Amino acid sequence: DADVTQTPRNRITKTGKRIMLECSQTKGHDRMYWYRQDPGLGLRLIYYSFDVKDINKGEISDGYSVSRQAQAKFSLSLESAIPNQTALYFCATSDRTGLNEQFFGPGTRLTVL
Amino acid sequence: QQQVKQSPQSLIVQKGGIPIINCAYENTAFDYFPWYQQFPGKGPALLIAIRPDVSEKKEGRFTISFNKSAKQFSLHIMDSQPGDSATYFCAASSYGGTSYGKLTFGQGTILTVHP
């Protein structure tokens, strides 16, 4: 059962292209996050949203933008992709209550040539 | 800046060994410390978490040890198995303030358990 889905799972693109990564969730969570994973750097927060009208920058937001189209959907855009944005991207969700466990999607592997 | 530092970057043990992964944090406002486990091709998933009101928490073969004064915490895996081979991330968050709901992750440790 895929509570958090990401599309596409793999993408190869060229420098300068605009790319959109999409995330959908069926967990009914208010909070959604976008991370990138790089070897040796762990998971770094790009943007997060605590509800539909809330968008916040994370620690590495430059070169990225997001859109929260609905409670269940959170998209990440690379306006003009560059090679150092080659990484594994994860979407995650969490409830507003409880211990803030985050539930991650399966990831999107993005390669920028 | 890296507010949570994790070591080692990689770790190899034999089956039955006790791998230990260490994390140190800087922000004294952090009061929630989870560990996430990630298998190849999958997203991370919560493994175990601790609040600073206790010094140790056990769940099955996994134990978190927490040292508030040193601002350090560690994951111990007892009787490790090949199926424990994965990448492990420590993280930290706070229940209140502007950091509420945001996890800061360590750099990750790739654990390999040989049969």
Side-chain angles (χ1 to χ4, degrees):
Chain A
D1 57 339
D3 296 318
V4 184
T5 58
Q6 293 183 233
T7 55
R9 293 294 314 278
N10 290 282
R11 182 72 184 267
I12 299 174
T13 190
K14 295 182 178 180
T15 298
K17 294 291 187 181
R18 185 177 188 273
I19 296 297
M20 179 179 287
L21 309 182
E22 301 193 10
C23 176
S24 294
Q25 54 112 348
T26 58
K27 300 189 74 68
H29 288 167
D30 294 311
R31 300 180 174 193
M32 299 187 74
Y33 311 81
W34 275 105
Y35 294 91
R36 67 176 278 175
Q37 181 177 358
D38 299 276
L41 296 178
L43 292 155
R44 292 181 293 166
L45 184 63
I46 306 172
Y47 271 96
Y48 62 102
S49 170
F50 281 0
D51 64 45
V52 174
K53 296 182 179 180
D54 176 72
I55 299 290
N56 303 282
K57 293 182 178 180
E59 61 180 296
I60 54 163
S61 59
D62 287 350
Y64 302 94
S65 62
V66 291
S67 173
R68 184 82 185 266
Q69 302 94 322
Q71 186 202 39
K73 296 185 181 297
F74 193 36
S75 300
L76 176 71
S77 294
L78 287 68
E79 299 302 326
S80 179
I82 56 177
N84 77 0
Q85 292 178 313
T86 292
L88 191 53
Y89 289 85
F90 286 101
C91 173
T93 74
S94 70
D95 201 321
R96 69 176 67 186
T97 61
L99 286 174
N100 192 43
E101 176 179 358
Q102 293 190 13
F103 296 84
F104 285 78
T108 294
R109 184 167 296 281
L110 177 66
T111 303
V112 183
L113 301 176
Chain B
Q1 75 270 22
Q2 190 72 46
Q3 294 192 53
V4 179
K5 295 184 179 180
Q6 182 173 347
S7 63
Q9 188 169 357
S10 63
L11 187 55
I12 300 174
V13 300
Q14 294 295 125
K15 177 182 175 182
I18 306 176
I20 300 173
I21 305 170
N22 301 297
C23 285
Y25 63 96
E26 300 170 3
N27 188 345
T28 55
F30 288 150
D31 58 4
Y32 171 65
F33 303 92
W35 286 88
Y36 280 74
Q37 180 187 54
Q38 181 186 30
F39 293 106
K42 304 290 186 182
L46 180 65
L47 180 64
I48 185 173
I50 196 169
R51 297 291 307 277
D53 51 343
V54 296
S55 60
E56 185 176 278
K57 183 174 181 180
K58 290 184 180 181
E59 288 188 4
R61 295 183 294 105
F62 299 90
T63 299
I64 300 178
S65 297
F66 183 79
N67 185 330
K68 187 174 182 179
S69 61
K71 294 188 288 185
Q72 296 176 347
F73 59 109
S74 60
L75 177 70
H76 302 232
I77 305 176
M78 307 301 291
D79 186 27
S80 59
Q81 302 295 313
D84 296 328
S85 297
T87 299
Y88 292 82
F89 294 98
C90 63
S93 179
S94 64
Y95 260 51
T98 57
S99 296
Y100 179 44
K102 290 168 52 181
L103 286 174
T104 299
F105 285 89
Q107 295 91 330
T109 296
I110 301 172
L111 172 66
T112 303
V113 181
H114 286 312

